[in-house]
Amino acid sequence: MPSASAQPKKTPAKEKQEEEAPRLPSLLPPPPRYLVPQSVMASVRNPKDIEQETGGRLGVALVDKEGALILGFNRDDRFAMCSTFKAPLAAAVLMGADAGKFGLEGQIPFTKNDILDYAPVVKQNRKRGRMSMAELAEAAVEVSDNSAANLLLPMLGGPQGLTAFFRAYGDKVTRLDRNEPTLNENAEGDPRDTTTPAAMAGLMARLLFRDMKPESAERLRGWLNASTTGDKRIKAGLPEGWTSGSKTGTCGNAYNDVALVKSPKGDEYILAVYLDRPTVDQKASEAAIAEAARAALDFVSKAQRSGLD
């Protein structure tokens, strides 16, 4: 067998051609592969069709408990995070407390100038004028309170500090550059405050399934499960017997959802679905996210792993 050095070298033109090769509009990623009955393929919608019906750009990624990318569509394209950043933000708060950087019961003061238009929990505590870090993190995840997120960010070093947290846990893609509400600008071609479906799903899988202490991971699971903002998105598309808890994001011209999903057998995954600039209304956009989730999870439910690596 020839050695590696004896293999023919690729020319720059060949390398460039391979880099520019278009991705196939399929849920199937590189290995692990699946042996899929024709009946499954017939019953699972192609995400390309769902995307076209929205008039926007759809991204999907599903990562398993071992951190493997199971499937995806436009999974490496950048999308505005909108409020989905609040899920890893809460994880960073919990992990910071576990590391002794601060206490979850530590109080953060605020004034009326810190209260944004959408801040239901912080507004309820206006007279009190302070909330604990745990209360703020819970509010940021469960009801997507914008002021709660802004009050927590300085404790983590601001947007740049949270980006450094992403990097420390293997995510080289996701970046937070601003706080609420300017992070929701979603200007076309602007990489600020963006992620990819694969990066966000991979980050949340690593945090929840591997790096967080069990008690903190369970606490974050509880907040995600108690979230009230995603009932019409991934949750609405779950196959029978599946459960989920999620963190949504909405930027006006973008609709997102990142969910911890659990199969009837108890297998856990992170599913990220991002929809950018749809031409349909919010109701139809949320229905498209639900349909994309159903397609991904139906595929996993019905497909049989081939054992190929």
Side-chain angles (χ1 to χ4, degrees):
M1 180 180 292
S3 66
S5 60
Q7 297 297 320
K9 293 184 178 180
K10 296 178 182 178
T11 65
K14 178 66 173 177
E15 289 179 346
K16 187 173 189 297
Q17 182 180 14
E18 289 182 358
E19 289 173 359
E20 294 178 351
R23 290 190 297 275
L24 295 175
S26 169
L27 278 172
L28 280 174
R33 299 185 180 93
Y34 292 84
L35 295 175
V36 187
Q38 190 60 39
S39 60
V40 173
M41 297 305 297
S43 66
V44 175
R45 289 203 66 195
N46 191 318
K48 188 68 176 177
D49 296 334
I50 301 172
E51 179 183 62
Q52 289 176 343
E53 290 169 3
T54 69
R57 183 168 56 97
L58 179 69
V60 182
L62 183 73
V63 173
D64 70 9
K65 202 166 185 177
E66 283 69 48
L69 177 66
I70 299 300
L71 52 79
F73 175 76
N74 291 335
R75 58 187 179 268
D76 296 318
D77 288 359
R78 282 195 176 271
F79 292 82
M81 282 191 286
C82 311
S83 285
T84 61
F85 85 94
K86 293 168 185 170
L89 168 73
V93 169
L94 291 166
M95 295 173 77
D98 286 338
K101 296 179 180 179
F102 40 70
L104 288 177
E105 298 312 311
Q107 301 289 307
I108 298 180
F110 60 88
T111 70
K112 64 179 182 180
N113 294 329
D114 298 310
I115 302 178
L116 301 176
D117 289 340
Y118 183 75
V121 178
V122 174
K123 283 180 180 178
Q124 290 175 2
N125 289 273
R126 180 184 300 174
K127 291 183 179 180
R128 181 177 159 201
R130 66 185 184 278
M131 291 177 64
S132 72
M133 294 191 70
E135 290 173 326
L136 291 168
E138 180 179 4
V141 175
E142 290 190 0
V143 299
S144 203
D145 191 300
N146 288 336
S147 291
N150 279 2
L151 290 167
L152 288 169
L153 273 172
M155 300 298 296
L156 302 171
Q160 290 70 35
L162 187 57
T163 300
F165 172 82
F166 302 153
R167 300 293 177 269
Y169 289 93
D171 183 348
K172 299 179 180 179
V173 175
T174 307
R175 53 182 288 183
L176 188 70
D177 299 86
R178 295 167 289 183
N179 63 5
E180 295 282 7
T182 54
L183 64 86
N184 297 303
E185 181 184 11
N186 192 20
E188 195 155 9
D190 188 350
R192 291 180 297 173
D193 309 302
T194 61
T195 189
T196 69
M200 180 59 76
L203 174 65
M204 289 306 300
R206 175 169 176 171
L207 296 175
L208 271 170
F209 303 147
R210 172 178 155 185
D211 291 323
M212 296 182 75
K213 290 186 176 181
E215 298 82 359
S216 291
E218 281 307 305
R219 194 166 193 175
L220 182 54
R221 278 183 173 87
W223 293 341
L224 291 168
N225 289 332
S227 174
T228 59
T229 60
D231 289 352
K232 297 179 180 179
R233 299 189 187 184
I234 288 174
K235 187 175 182 179
L238 295 177
E240 185 177 357
W242 286 71
T243 60
S244 75
S246 74
K247 183 67 207 78
T248 59
T250 305
C251 291
N253 59 352
Y255 302 90
N256 312 323
D257 201 7
V258 178
L260 167 69
V261 295
K262 189 173 183 179
S263 76
K265 294 181 180 179
D267 297 323
E268 289 185 313
Y269 305 84
I270 300 293
L271 175 61
V273 183
Y274 285 79
L275 179 60
D276 185 56
R277 290 177 170 79
T279 57
V280 296
D281 62 15
Q282 180 168 341
K283 182 178 180 181
S285 296
E286 292 185 318
I289 291 174
E291 192 163 6
R294 185 178 300 110
L297 300 179
D298 271 344
F299 188 93
V300 170
S301 296
K302 298 172 182 177
Q304 180 181 3
R305 278 189 78 154
S306 68
L308 296 176
D309 293 324

